[in-house]
Amino acid sequence: WFNNVAYIAIGDNGSTENEFNDINFGIETHNSNVDVLNCRFHDIVADAAYGNWIVNPALKPWGCGVHARGIDEASSINVLPLTSGSTTIENAPIGVYTNFINGRVMGVSMVNVIKGVNSELSVARTVSVTGCNIHARFRGIDFNENHNAFNMVASENIIYLEPTTGIGKGQACI
């Protein structure tokens, strides 16, 4: 959990990858400027104590590889891929979640996520998702309630929808 951090880089392309697994959130930030690079997230699942996030989001979605919220217009999250080229986010309800923050998700591979990228309330913000390979069960990229955003960009992504029993058809790529 990073709160009001002027800048931090999590990971280093010249070092061994960081690994986050079997937790509610891989990385959670609030009102901070964070670069995430060479980090692997797998089996990021909400604890049963929080209930089903689809039905009861409890004010925020649980089970996110990267979860970033902002207040300050300068807050940002940048999520970049593993240097090995392997899957960056695997087995998570949401790969990357942004709320009221500038965000960039670039070249990230996601497998077995319900939503690859979920971006909400990006008022006066810019969010871009480019060059990602997303295998989702419901939505690849979900830009939701982003009225008056400066810019919402989804480009050069490959999105596969692979619904599983109980979810029904994948609703939308974007």
Side-chain angles (χ1 to χ4, degrees), residues 19-170:
E19 186 172 343
F20 300 84
N21 69 313
D22 197 26
I23 49 181
N24 290 313
F25 300 104
I27 295 172
E28 184 177 10
T29 74
H30 180 262
N31 206 38
S32 298
N33 295 290
V34 179
D35 287 346
V36 178
L37 54 153
N38 205 25
C39 292
R40 180 172 185 254
F41 305 89
H42 63 93
D43 302 315
I44 308 297
V45 180
D47 189 284
Y50 298 115
N52 183 342
W53 73 270
I54 294 172
V55 177
N56 179 12
L59 302 178
K60 64 181 175 181
W62 299 91
C64 304
V66 177
H67 182 280
R69 290 180 180 262
I71 295 173
D72 184 347
E73 288 180 17
S75 298
S76 67
I77 184 78
N78 295 302
V79 183
L80 304 171
L82 290 171
T83 55
S84 68
S86 296
T87 300
T88 304
I89 302 171
E90 186 173 5
N91 301 328
I94 298 176
V96 178
Y97 174 80
T98 69
N99 181 292
F100 207 60
I101 193 167
N102 293 298
R104 181 174 63 126
V105 182
M106 189 172 78
V108 173
S109 174
M110 301 179 210
V111 173
N112 196 28
V113 293
I114 295 173
K115 293 181 180 181
V117 177
N118 186 13
S119 183
E120 299 178 321
L121 303 173
S122 300
V123 177
R125 307 292 188 276
T126 295
V127 176
S128 68
V129 182
T130 58
C132 295
N133 188 328
I134 303 170
H135 292 250
R137 292 178 294 177
F138 185 65
R139 287 196 178 145
I141 300 170
D142 189 357
F143 289 161
N144 185 20
E145 299 290 330
N146 291 298
H147 310 295
N148 298 315
F150 286 149
N151 206 358
M152 302 298 293
V153 176
S155 68
E156 301 178 26
N157 299 293
I158 298 171
I159 300 172
Y160 299 93
L161 292 179
E162 303 164 345
T164 57
T165 304
I167 294 179
K169 286 187 174 182

